[in-house]
Amino acid sequence: MKFPRFTRKTLCIPYAVFLVFFVIIPMLVIFFYAFTDKNMNISLSNFILFFSDPTKISTIVYSLVIALITTVCCLLIAYPVAYILARSKMKKKFVILMLFVLPMWINFVLRVNAIRELFNLIASLDGMEWLASANYFKTVFGMVYDFLPFMILPLYTTMLKIDNSLYEASADLGAGGTTTFLRVTLPLSMPGIMSGITMVFLPSMTNYVVSDMLGNAKVTIIGKFIYDYFGSDWHMGSMVALVLLIVVFVSTWLSGGFQSEENVRGANL
Amino acid sequence: MKCKRIFALIAAAALAVPSLALLSGCTGNREIVLRVYNWEEYIDEGGKGTFLYDELHELDDEGKPVLDANGGHVHIESDIVDDAYKAWYEREMGKELSPEGPAILDDFCLWYERTYGQKIRVEYSTFGTNEDMYNEIVLGNEYDLLCPSDYMIMKLAAEGRLERYDESFFDPSVHENYYVRNVSPFIADKFANNAGLTIRKDWDGKDILWKDFAAGYMWGTTGFVYNPSPTDAQGNPIDVDVEAMLKELGWSAFTNGQFRNKITAKDNVRDTYFAALGVKYQEELLALKDRFDGGTLSQSEYTKEITRIFNATDDDTISAVEPTLMDIKKNIYSFETDTGKSDMVQGKIWLNYAWSGDAVYALDLAESGMTEDGEEEKAVQLNYYVPEAGTNLWFDGWVMPKGANKQAAQAFVNFLSMPQNAMRNSYYIGYTSVIAGEEREMLDYADYLYGYAPEEDETETVDYDLGYFFGEGASILADAEQAACRQLYAQFPTPDVIAHCAVMDYYDEEASVRINELWSRVKAESLDAWAIVVIVVTVIAVLAAVLVARFGGKLDFFCRKPKKGYKLVKQEDPNRIQ
């Protein structure tokens, strides 16, 4: 029997099937639900209700702010780490990098639970009682902890690629440390920053496991909001999901996610 | 090549074997399938910690079986799983009672085959909330038996999604009809008049009564689990009298500053809205209670009134309750569904709004001095309290969705209604069974759990009246503390508590929309209009800045197209070093 020859087209079939059934059709279903009412008639009422309800706008804004703070914190922590790691001549820097990446190998619900217990412990100390009800602080902390590796990795891989001779040239031309950083390192690590931002910003808008477990269910981000709606009103839930989809689309587009140039989106070790 | 294929086949077969094994719960040809959809952890699942296991093994202080010299378990003479129980088991299941704690679903398969001569297999799945279950049903998932709560039974029945129980199901002369013979008269009465709710009509103008559509399973109240002597993190006692404060405040404990960050509410709209109504209308409720206790208001009038208050969903009530809900959110430590128990045991909170069965579990766990994972911890005494102004009385019952296999489903309900099985389920999940037992077997069970022999020791005892549930004259001699505020009081409420309870109705379509919107407003943090405007403007400004930075003046779509025959050539950067 002749073994069938795989062409590129046939190799695509599994993924195409997956794409159709688990991405395209669900999206169409969401779209359909968002623009129908309870009796399945086409209606714009969800759309109008969404944009006239301060609660829903507030929730989106809150999620955006939480995601923004998380992303900024991650960037501020990850950038120096990645810079030092990429530039140092340490023999064991791989070990340090692993220390940052290792938590990613442990289930994240487990990690968040561990943080929860840690916070409980700290909150039981004298003078730390405020921590028990600092729900927003704990949520952001949990998210930063959770998403930090996603920021470090792309930064590290981009910076690793920067040719050392560029720094030498910069020094030759009389640039000091700050100028070199601003005119060489920063612009050249921009793809890594952008990639890191997309990988942190988007999930932190919707990851309500963190906000539920660390925020005592008193912090409602957009992901939780959608989940709640799907318990009662699928149509409004779909509308919120659709709006979120658009927000995500716009932010990905702005951060250059759709460019085909080769950069470090892979972000793998 | 061939070798590989054979290997692949073997591998696939190996993978398929476990899934075949899964399918063979009670195997055989021509078997029928019963699809049961129940709450999580809401049935005896067998093994350690079950009634039969614990009753048949001698357990040490840590709840581990005592071993004899040969490493075998030491079995004990149980008061309740006695020879008669064992004989019953052998008769019904056709095998000897194994001390390993058989699962009740397996026993059902055995019993069904012996009784009806046909093999049966149970496909058992679980849900987390009534609403999840409802969604599954609406989406067209098919089951034979569901276990919704009171208001959801009403909703499903009113929407015409349920089968009626056969009339023969209620014939006490049929030997297999265990439910009708064993159910408590109290429950039968509540199910016959929808526990005092407004009775709706179906399409044909017939009354929709619970008893036609549902057979009871478990029931209880909601109330507060409280820590009478809370300690700080170092274990030093805190000088507060939680009990006195709670008794004085009742429902207002939710919004009272003394309990700030020391109380939890449920993370679902039904229970928390109910609680908020209690806070908001407590004075009105107490005034009604006074009139009832004073004898100027009949029980039915009183029940009607409090039921109306606790089920109000009109616009005025919703807008009146919204600020109360906001106050509750501000005051509580968390909205929770299952972390309340451990937070209580760890001493993080003093009050936990809970269902009675969960309360029993929390009380047991706290005084055992162990965590859920079996680690040792400081033993804490917790108590249970039901607000004087009245609380929620709830029922979970078995219903059959349209198209169910009614014969098998009713057989299943009857099987669970044998007192010997009701004990097993009740013991395992901590809730109170609706079963009383023809011979008041469940009273023996309650007595076995909580009763005292008068001469036993010097514990103060009281005669705990359970006449409303088991029939006239039923009572047990119990520890006074148990009767006042502990497991017994939670599991079998006093007649006084029962008299002051209201049942939840379901929200109709419109009310449901309003209340869900209310809930989303409560759960979400709302911003002032100006803050939204500021933030939206900032976001747009940032967007614009990013756009300009990215495309800085070379936005392609602003450029004119080159004339025909010409090509657009990008200008080279003059400074670029070649």
Side-chain angles (χ1 to χ4, degrees):
Chain A
M1 193 187 121
K2 207 181 151 197
F3 204 70
R5 255 181 67 87
F6 287 127
T7 61
R8 281 189 194 187
K9 266 185 195 161
T10 47
L11 284 172
C12 276
I13 289 174
Y15 185 64
V17 170
F18 178 85
L19 204 67
V20 168
F21 280 97
F22 297 101
V23 181
I24 297 176
I25 293 179
M27 290 250 247
L28 290 177
V29 172
I30 286 190
F31 195 80
F32 173 75
Y33 266 101
F35 289 102
T36 46
D37 62 15
K38 281 229 146 77
N39 307 321
M40 293 296 171
N41 297 324
I42 304 290
S43 134
L44 282 175
S45 61
N46 293 318
F47 187 77
I48 295 162
L49 206 62
F50 182 93
F51 286 101
S52 57
D53 181 1
T55 316
K56 298 184 180 74
I57 312 275
S58 300
T59 311
I60 288 217
V61 168
Y62 257 92
S63 313
L64 274 171
V65 171
I66 288 179
L68 205 67
I69 297 173
T70 306
T71 315
V72 169
C73 290
C74 279
L75 190 61
L76 288 180
I77 297 170
Y79 201 91
V81 172
Y83 182 76
I84 291 165
L85 281 179
R87 294 281 293 139
S88 77
K89 294 191 173 60
M90 270 191 295
K91 279 197 181 125
K92 302 275 185 264
K93 65 181 175 184
F94 182 72
V95 177
I96 299 179
L97 188 69
M98 284 309 294
L99 282 180
F100 277 96
V101 177
L102 207 62
M104 275 170 76
W105 298 357
I106 300 165
N107 181 296
F108 100 98
V109 180
L110 224 64
R111 279 184 284 139
V112 176
N113 222 333
I115 291 205
R116 200 175 114 93
E117 292 306 316
L118 264 179
F119 274 132
N120 285 343
L121 203 72
I122 297 171
S124 68
L125 299 175
D126 266 340
M128 295 300 283
E129 287 84 6
W130 58 272
L131 197 60
S133 46
N135 298 324
Y136 279 93
F137 171 77
K138 287 194 285 186
T139 303
V140 170
F141 186 97
M143 289 208 186
V144 169
Y145 170 74
D146 215 37
F147 296 128
L148 195 56
F150 295 101
M151 189 62 106
I152 293 181
L153 277 183
L155 283 173
Y156 173 74
T157 34
T158 342
M159 287 193 213
L160 211 56
K161 275 191 188 163
I162 301 176
D163 197 334
N164 207 29
S165 55
L166 291 174
Y167 295 109
E168 286 164 9
S170 171
D172 274 356
L173 294 169
T178 324
T179 321
T180 307
F181 175 76
L182 286 177
R183 306 199 56 172
V184 179
T185 320
L186 193 61
L188 285 174
S189 60
M190 220 45 198
I193 295 179
M194 279 307 179
S195 167
I197 287 178
T198 9
M199 288 173 82
V200 172
F201 185 77
L202 302 179
S204 55
M205 267 182 71
T206 49
N207 194 330
Y208 66 87
V209 175
V210 178
S211 64
D212 260 15
M213 286 174 82
L214 296 174
N216 289 331
K218 282 169 108 180
V219 175
T220 301
I221 60 172
I222 196 74
K224 171 77 174 174
F225 202 66
I226 296 172
Y227 173 82
D228 275 351
Y229 264 110
F230 272 85
S232 56
D233 180 359
W234 284 37
H235 302 276
M236 185 45 97
S238 303
M239 179 48 85
V240 182
L242 199 65
V243 171
L244 180 66
L245 201 70
I246 292 166
V247 171
V248 168
F249 183 86
V250 169
S251 42
T252 313
W253 177 58
L254 285 179
S255 61
F258 298 128
Q259 281 172 320
S260 53
E261 32 177 293
E262 193 195 330
N263 58 20
V264 286
R265 311 213 116 249
N268 36 16
L269 256 177
Chain B
M1 209 72 218
K2 206 163 197 181
C3 219
K4 247 186 186 171
R5 195 163 298 166
I6 289 167
F7 176 76
L9 272 175
I10 292 170
L15 278 174
V17 166
S19 56
L20 281 177
L22 269 181
L23 288 172
S24 58
C26 328
T27 43
N29 38 7
R30 291 275 304 128
E31 63 179 14
I32 46 175
V33 177
L34 179 71
R35 295 154 301 179
V36 180
Y37 198 32
N38 192 10
W39 294 86
E40 285 155 14
E41 305 249 328
Y42 215 47
I43 201 163
D44 182 318
E45 287 168 4
K48 289 179 186 170
T50 59
F51 182 61
L52 293 180
Y53 187 90
D54 286 358
E55 278 311 299
L56 295 170
H57 289 91
E58 187 145 13
L59 303 176
D60 63 14
D61 294 343
E62 290 171 4
K64 290 184 185 133
V66 178
L67 302 180
D68 63 19
N70 302 323
H73 295 160
V74 176
H75 295 170
I76 53 168
E77 289 292 311
S78 161
D79 294 339
I80 200 155
V81 184
D82 49 11
D83 289 343
Y85 194 107
K86 284 180 189 160
W88 162 82
Y89 188 90
E90 221 169 310
R91 195 172 64 240
E92 297 292 341
M93 317 304 167
K95 64 165 197 181
E96 208 177 309
L97 177 53
S98 127
E100 296 314 312
I104 213 155
L105 291 178
D106 295 339
D107 282 352
F108 169 70
C109 295
L110 295 172
W111 174 81
Y112 188 88
E113 199 184 336
R114 270 178 82 79
T115 312
Y116 297 101
Q118 194 171 17
K119 281 192 187 294
I120 193 166
R121 179 162 60 85
V122 179
E123 266 176 24
Y124 185 78
S125 42
T126 59
F127 56 84
T129 67
N130 278 306
E131 285 67 28
D132 286 353
M133 182 221 55
Y134 178 78
N135 281 339
E136 289 285 303
I137 300 303
V138 173
L139 282 178
N141 277 306
E142 289 178 354
Y143 299 98
D144 296 307
L145 208 52
L146 316 168
C147 188
S149 305
D150 35 41
Y151 72 91
M152 191 51 82
I153 295 175
M154 267 315 282
K155 188 176 164 79
L156 290 168
E159 289 176 4
R161 295 184 193 276
L162 299 183
E163 296 275 1
R164 281 168 197 273
Y165 275 81
D166 292 335
E167 269 177 36
S168 61
F169 181 77
F170 297 101
D171 180 0
S173 62
V174 177
H175 177 71
E176 279 78 30
N177 283 348
Y178 293 98
Y179 177 74
V180 68
R181 288 202 309 274
N182 288 306
V183 70
S184 155
F186 167 72
I187 302 292
D189 176 56
K190 293 280 179 198
F191 273 57
N193 64 18
N194 294 9
L197 297 178
T198 318
I199 293 174
R200 294 174 164 82
K201 305 259 182 216
D202 67 5
W203 312 118
D204 311 327
K206 253 175 110 179
D207 285 351
I208 301 176
L209 295 176
W210 287 0
K211 75 170 172 62
D212 295 338
F213 294 98
Y217 183 45
M218 296 285 160
W219 67 284
T221 56
T222 54
F224 293 100
V225 175
Y226 67 94
N227 187 341
S229 43
T231 54
D232 65 12
Q234 279 74 41
N236 308 315
I238 299 171
D239 187 24
V240 284
D241 191 346
V242 175
E243 189 171 79
M245 271 154 63
L246 178 61
K247 285 188 175 166
E248 196 197 315
L249 289 167
W251 286 107
S252 325
F254 272 118
T255 50
N256 191 284
Q258 286 171 295
F259 289 124
R260 194 175 176 92
N261 286 329
K262 293 293 173 198
I263 180 169
T264 61
K266 287 271 166 240
D267 193 8
N268 73 63
V269 59
R270 292 213 61 111
D271 288 302
T272 304
Y273 183 70
F274 190 94
L277 286 166
V279 177
K280 178 78 191 167
Y281 298 109
Q282 176 147 269
E283 279 177 26
E284 208 174 310
L285 289 163
L286 284 173
L288 283 168
K289 177 187 151 69
D290 283 344
R291 281 175 57 202
F292 168 66
D293 291 347
T296 53
L297 200 65
S298 72
Q299 173 78 61
S300 64
E301 281 291 309
Y302 172 67
T303 307
K304 207 173 136 193
E305 281 299 304
I306 59 169
T307 305
R308 181 185 58 76
I309 292 177
F310 276 122
N311 284 303
T313 53
D314 54 290
D315 273 333
D316 292 343
T317 313
I318 289 180
S319 27
V321 166
E322 186 164 349
T324 314
L325 274 167
M326 295 294 182
D327 289 346
I328 291 177
K329 184 186 177 183
K330 239 180 263 158
N331 205 43
I332 58 172
Y333 171 71
S334 72
F335 288 110
E336 56 88 30
T337 31
D338 51 7
T339 57
K341 289 175 237 174
S342 60
D343 285 348
M344 277 306 285
V345 175
Q346 289 171 13
K348 249 187 282 174
I349 50 171
W350 302 342
L351 288 177
N352 171 220
Y353 184 57
W355 297 292
S356 48
D358 277 357
V360 172
Y361 178 77
L363 265 55
D364 284 345
L365 198 67
E367 72 182 4
S368 75
M370 286 207 270
T371 66
E372 283 174 288
D373 314 316
E375 286 167 40
E376 271 188 56
E377 215 176 33
K378 192 174 55 127
V380 186
Q381 184 188 320
L382 301 180
N383 294 342
Y384 183 69
Y385 174 72
V386 173
E388 268 182 40
T391 191
N392 175 220
L393 180 68
W394 56 263
F395 306 91
D396 288 338
W398 295 109
V399 300
M400 299 175 287
K402 277 259 146 62
N405 178 345
K406 286 173 74 175
Q407 189 276 334
Q410 292 174 84
F412 186 79
V413 173
N414 277 324
F415 179 75
L416 294 189
S417 302
M418 296 183 195
Q420 293 89 337
N421 289 331
M423 286 172 204
R424 292 166 70 180
N425 283 327
S426 186
Y427 183 91
Y428 188 77
I429 64 185
Y431 283 75
T432 320
S433 170
V434 299
I435 300 301
E438 263 181 296
E439 312 285 330
R440 296 189 182 172
E441 289 93 337
M442 291 304 278
L443 184 66
D444 297 341
Y445 172 73
D447 188 45
Y448 153 81
L449 285 181
Y450 303 114
Y452 259 82
E455 69 280 7
E456 200 169 337
D457 51 33
E458 305 203 329
T459 315
E460 197 190 327
T461 54
V462 290
D463 209 20
Y464 196 74
D465 178 18
L466 289 170
Y468 72 91
F469 191 76
F470 291 100
E472 215 152 296
S475 71
I476 58 174
L477 194 66
D479 175 340
E481 200 180 38
Q482 274 289 344
C485 58
R486 311 224 50 227
Q487 283 96 331
L488 174 58
Y489 170 76
Q491 202 159 24
F492 293 96
T494 59
D496 188 49
V497 167
I498 296 291
H500 298 97
C501 276
V503 177
M504 274 191 214
D505 204 346
Y506 81 91
Y507 307 146
D508 57 36
E509 197 86 342
E510 256 178 73
S512 162
V513 169
R514 285 201 299 268
I515 287 179
N516 286 322
E517 288 298 322
L518 167 74
W519 185 240
S520 77
R521 286 199 294 279
V522 171
K523 284 302 295 288
E525 210 73 44
S526 51
L527 285 171
D528 292 336
W530 63 265
I532 295 180
V533 171
V534 168
I535 291 171
V536 168
V537 167
T538 321
V539 168
I540 291 174
V542 170
L543 287 188
V546 173
L547 276 177
V548 169
R550 275 181 61 80
F551 300 107
K554 43 179 179 172
L555 290 170
D556 289 347
F557 40 86
F558 289 138
C559 293
R560 261 195 280 161
K561 271 190 184 166
K563 277 183 199 162
K564 210 173 175 186
Y566 289 82
K567 250 195 210 163
L568 188 70
V569 181
K570 273 194 183 160
Q571 206 186 346
E572 289 287 333
D573 188 343
N575 299 328
R576 193 164 145 190
I577 301 154
Q578 294 291 333

